[in-house]
Amino acid sequence: MSATCLVVMGVSGAGKSTIARRLADELGWPMAEADEFHPPANIEKMSSGIPLTDTDRAPWLASLRDWITERAESNESTVVTCSALKRAYRDILRQARARVRFVHLAGSATLIMERLSVRSDHFMPSSLLDSQFGDLEPLGADEDGVTVDLGQPPQRIAATALERLGLHAGPQR
């Protein structure tokens, strides 16, 4: 297993897309948005302010895991955004045939609510933020990843993540 997948994780509004794009650009790796893997029924539920259940998330996570595996089988490292709030969800992603590493963007509910209040281009309403924080299980000491404070500028967050993961800019596996 020589391919790596960085999963940029956190609650809605944490900045996953922004940081994942920076990491993908720095590393020269393709990026995928996990939101694009949701079936329409999941998007409908979230748009209606209904939190997803573990059952709702299972096929979504499996689809994302399979995408990671497809790229890894071609020896292609990737960056993906995924809330990956629970360890059980991260366990599904870790089943991919790649070294799956996590970058947890962590911050206060107040800061994230401020960000969500100005965001208009997403189906996830701010009313679901409490349920996301309720589901959030921080990375365990035995999980391959780092936690980075999202209160910094995006370029600093990305640089900190790369440094703490021992990764360097430029194409690599």
Side-chain angles (χ1 to χ4, degrees), residues 19-88:
I19 301 307
R21 173 52 45 213
R22 283 189 167 274
L23 292 171
D25 289 349
E26 291 271 337
L27 296 167
W29 297 355
M31 179 188 140
E33 290 273 358
D35 286 345
E36 295 173 6
F37 291 76
H38 273 297
N42 283 8
I43 293 171
E44 174 79 21
K45 270 183 109 167
M46 289 183 286
S47 296
S48 300
I50 302 168
L52 298 180
T53 65
D54 290 352
T55 302
D56 295 327
R57 286 186 180 98
W60 167 63
L61 291 164
S63 177
L64 187 56
R65 176 203 61 213
D66 294 346
W67 183 88
I68 296 165
T69 292
E70 287 172 16
R71 298 309 168 288
E73 287 175 345
S74 297
N75 203 34
E76 186 175 40
S77 292
T78 55
V79 177
V80 300
T81 63
C82 181
S83 53
L85 298 175
K86 294 182 180 181
R87 184 183 187 111

Side-chain angles (χ1 to χ4, degrees), residues 105-153:
L105 302 178
S108 72
T110 303
L111 175 59
I112 294 171
M113 186 57 82
E114 287 172 13
R115 290 178 173 193
L116 287 174
S117 69
V118 298
R119 185 168 84 171
S120 60
D121 60 342
H122 198 272
F123 57 80
M124 180 76 162
S126 58
S127 60
L128 293 180
L129 186 59
D130 285 343
S131 72
Q132 289 213 326
F133 271 107
D135 284 347
L136 179 62
E137 296 172 3
L139 289 175
D142 61 331
E143 291 186 274
D144 189 356
V146 297
T147 299
V148 182
D149 177 9
L150 61 81
Q152 308 170 66

